[in-house]
Amino acid sequence: MKSVPGRVLMGICATAVLALTAACGGQGTDGGDNAGGGASKKPAAKASSAAPEGLKPLTEAQLKQAVVTTADVKGYRVGDTPDDEIPEVSVPAKPAGCQALADMFLLSTDPHAAARVSRSLTSLTATDGRVLRVGLLAHEEADAKKVVGDLRAQSGTCKAYEHTDYQYTGVKALKAPSLGDEAVSYSMTSDIEGTKIPVTYTVVRSGSTLVVFSAMSALGGKAPEIPAALVAAQVTKIEKTA
């Protein structure tokens, strides 16, 4: 039986094949430039036990209403992410100082989200093997701030780690887009069952909700870009819902 990362890899490869097929026969326009190369991130806000009560998490129904659909992102087909590729588990990472990064691979966080939804986005034009996913995580506002703070800190200090017997190397903090209340971006290379896959993440906090974009390159090479227009479209839609 394949591990969860192994199943994720199989899903990535299958999605990449579909993306190449869609690009050869579909029509549309690409979503835009790299979200990781946008404006500088805003300073992280620190949660305090003495602070006033923050925003409450959205419900799963609200997240499903807020996640982008094919109608929202021209040039992309949006589909569901299989549940077995985003299990609600946290497996210890080595070293522990990279745990937040490791958890995000499976769309998991500490503290756990109250609700989650995830979608895959397939370009109708690109033929670069890039696989895009978006996740919405509902948190208490203080918990959402903590998750972003942990990701920002660890993407600057953690260079490599082991998670579920697989290696993740070349962790690098990137310039985050100026969206939402705060944001963080970073990239790395995953080595899953001998296959090296560059991956880029952008996480935007909008109130108590985390918008998580990932881009994986099934063909290898450099860290893939996350189209800025896709991130902006999702953040705009979640802000209207919240």
Side-chain angles (χ1 to χ4, degrees), residues 135-196:
L136 300 182
L137 309 181
H139 282 278
E140 297 281 347
E141 186 174 13
D143 292 344
K145 291 179 180 179
K146 177 185 181 299
V147 172
V148 174
D150 288 345
L151 290 172
R152 181 178 292 115
Q154 292 183 19
S155 64
T157 59
C158 172
K159 302 305 178 186
Y161 62 92
E162 179 179 322
H163 187 231
T164 61
D165 296 328
Y166 299 120
Q167 305 299 316
Y168 299 81
T169 59
V171 179
K172 180 181 179 181
L174 303 174
K175 197 171 185 179
S178 182
L179 293 170
D181 295 303
E182 57 178 327
V184 59
S185 294
Y186 56 92
S187 64
M188 67 181 74
T189 298
S190 59
D191 188 338
I192 300 176
E193 298 180 0
T195 301
K196 295 186 183 299

Side-chain angles (χ1 to χ4, degrees), residues 181-237:
D181 295 303
E182 57 178 327
V184 59
S185 294
Y186 56 92
S187 64
M188 67 181 74
T189 298
S190 59
D191 188 338
I192 300 176
E193 298 180 0
T195 301
K196 295 186 183 299
I197 302 177
V199 56
T200 302
Y201 286 90
T202 288
V203 181
V204 180
R205 180 179 68 81
S206 177
S208 61
T209 305
L210 298 181
V211 176
V212 181
F213 268 91
S214 66
M216 300 183 182
S217 176
L219 302 181
K222 64 180 183 179
E225 297 181 349
I226 299 176
L230 292 182
V231 183
Q234 180 60 84
V235 173
T236 298
K237 192 170 184 180

Side-chain angles (χ1 to χ4, degrees), residues 93-139:
K94 299 177 184 178
C98 301
Q99 189 65 52
L101 302 176
D103 285 341
M104 192 53 69
F105 186 82
L106 301 178
L107 207 61
S108 180
T109 57
D110 179 21
H112 290 304
R116 306 182 304 166
V117 300
S118 178
R119 299 289 186 267
S120 62
L121 297 99
T122 304
S123 173
L124 300 177
T125 58
T127 57
D128 55 5
R130 179 174 53 180
V131 177
L132 297 164
R133 285 186 175 174
V134 59
L136 300 182
L137 309 181
H139 282 278

